[in-house]
Amino acid sequence: MRDIRSVTVWGDSVMKGVVYDEEKERYTLLPECSANRASRALGLRLRNRSRMGCTVTKGLQIMRKDLETEAAGGVALIEFGGNDCDYDWAQVAQRPLDPHQPKTPLEIFLSQLREMVHLAKQKGMEPVMMTLPPIHAERYFNFFTRGGLNRENILLWLGDIQFIYRWHERYNAAVIRVAKECGCLLADVREAFLGQRHYEDLLCADGIHPNEKGHILMDGVLEDYGG
């Protein structure tokens, strides 16, 4: 990577540093999240434009607006997919025999990721794609059905709980595909998680958000790619 002095992050709650607090039973922000740790260690100015619940569609809108009015340059760290591949589980529970679409169909996800990369390059930025931390399917299933959704109906539609992991993996593969197609650097945090004997220990109780230990691991990956 060429000499870079700043990084702008466009992503979702993972890069925002959102964690689930089991005692308070709500989501909170982790002050020492991976983006903060890595940017400080590398001496980079950080602008974190990540938002909880953000899909690539919303992220592209935010990026376009940001780059219309501000000087570009530096690194554009792009991290999406976790919300894009998710489903409206209440609708699935109500109509398990119907077809259902994720929040962002895969082909749209691919095309909008490519557009984000091209826009970053047009503005003189160095795009870096980030893979998705793996989810824990059983933990996530138990979390989103805890309010009383019909588990049997959802399982009927899924076929098996591990479909959640496999579907999430397809979106991760899409990130890697776009990085290769567009010649982007790839910060592979997923590989780092899967290299742990018990990667689930690095995830919150919801099975989808990295906890503080997970952010420390991601920080190491980001520092390696930024050094």
Side-chain angles (χ1 to χ4, degrees):
M1 187 185 296
R2 61 177 181 267
D3 184 31
I4 297 294
R5 307 245 178 227
S6 65
V7 58
T8 304
V9 182
W10 286 281
D12 55 29
S13 54
V14 170
M15 287 308 290
K16 187 69 175 177
V18 173
V19 294
Y20 186 74
D21 188 319
E22 291 185 67
E23 291 185 3
K24 298 178 180 178
E25 297 185 338
R26 64 182 178 85
Y27 287 104
T28 61
L29 282 178
L30 181 68
E32 287 296 291
C33 67
S34 58
N36 292 345
R37 287 174 176 271
S39 59
R40 185 172 63 248
L42 296 169
L44 300 175
R45 296 189 305 274
L46 171 67
R47 184 157 190 248
N48 196 337
R49 299 291 289 147
S50 304
R51 295 188 183 180
M52 186 170 184
C54 201
T55 63
V56 70
T57 302
K58 181 63 177 177
L60 179 57
Q61 292 173 358
I62 295 170
M63 185 187 219
R64 283 174 176 156
K65 186 174 180 180
D66 288 343
L67 296 182
E68 280 178 0
T69 58
E70 297 180 14
V75 168
L77 180 60
I78 300 169
E79 176 270 321
F80 290 100
N83 294 304
D84 297 275
C85 72
D86 205 17
Y87 286 86
D88 184 335
W89 297 112
Q91 291 296 318
V92 173
Q94 290 174 12
R95 298 194 295 273
L97 299 181
D98 290 355
H100 296 277
Q101 290 294 320
K103 291 179 181 177
T104 309
L106 192 57
E107 287 305 314
I108 295 175
F109 181 68
L110 283 162
S111 65
Q112 294 191 333
L113 273 184
R114 293 186 188 106
E115 192 166 347
M116 291 191 82
V117 170
H118 294 154
L119 179 57
K121 288 183 175 181
Q122 287 173 4
K123 296 296 184 176
M125 304 187 81
E126 178 85 32
V128 176
M129 308 291 292
M130 193 177 110
T131 57
L132 311 181
I135 63 175
H136 191 275
E138 293 91 344
R139 193 180 293 179
Y140 180 49
F141 179 79
N142 291 332
F143 186 81
F144 74 72
T145 59
R146 72 194 187 285
L149 292 183
N150 190 311
R151 293 164 61 95
E152 290 74 20
N153 279 359
I154 294 173
L155 277 172
L156 176 63
W157 183 81
L158 286 172
D160 67 280
I161 289 179
Q162 288 305 317
F163 173 82
I164 297 172
Y165 182 95
R166 296 193 300 272
W167 186 250
H168 186 265
E169 178 65 32
R170 291 193 70 195
Y171 280 68
N172 184 71
V175 171
I176 296 172
R177 174 178 167 183
V178 170
K180 289 180 178 178
E181 289 177 355
C182 299
C184 298
L185 289 175
L186 182 72
D188 197 354
V189 300
R190 192 181 192 88
E191 191 279 332
F193 273 82
L194 294 179
Q196 307 300 305
R197 186 171 295 274
H198 295 288
Y199 79 85
E200 65 273 15
D201 293 342
L202 305 180
L203 299 176
C204 294
D206 63 2
I208 53 176
H209 287 94
N211 57 25
E212 185 172 10
K213 290 180 180 179
H215 275 272
I216 291 172
L217 181 70
M218 291 194 297
D219 167 39
V221 175
L222 295 174
E223 286 189 39
D224 286 344
Y225 279 82

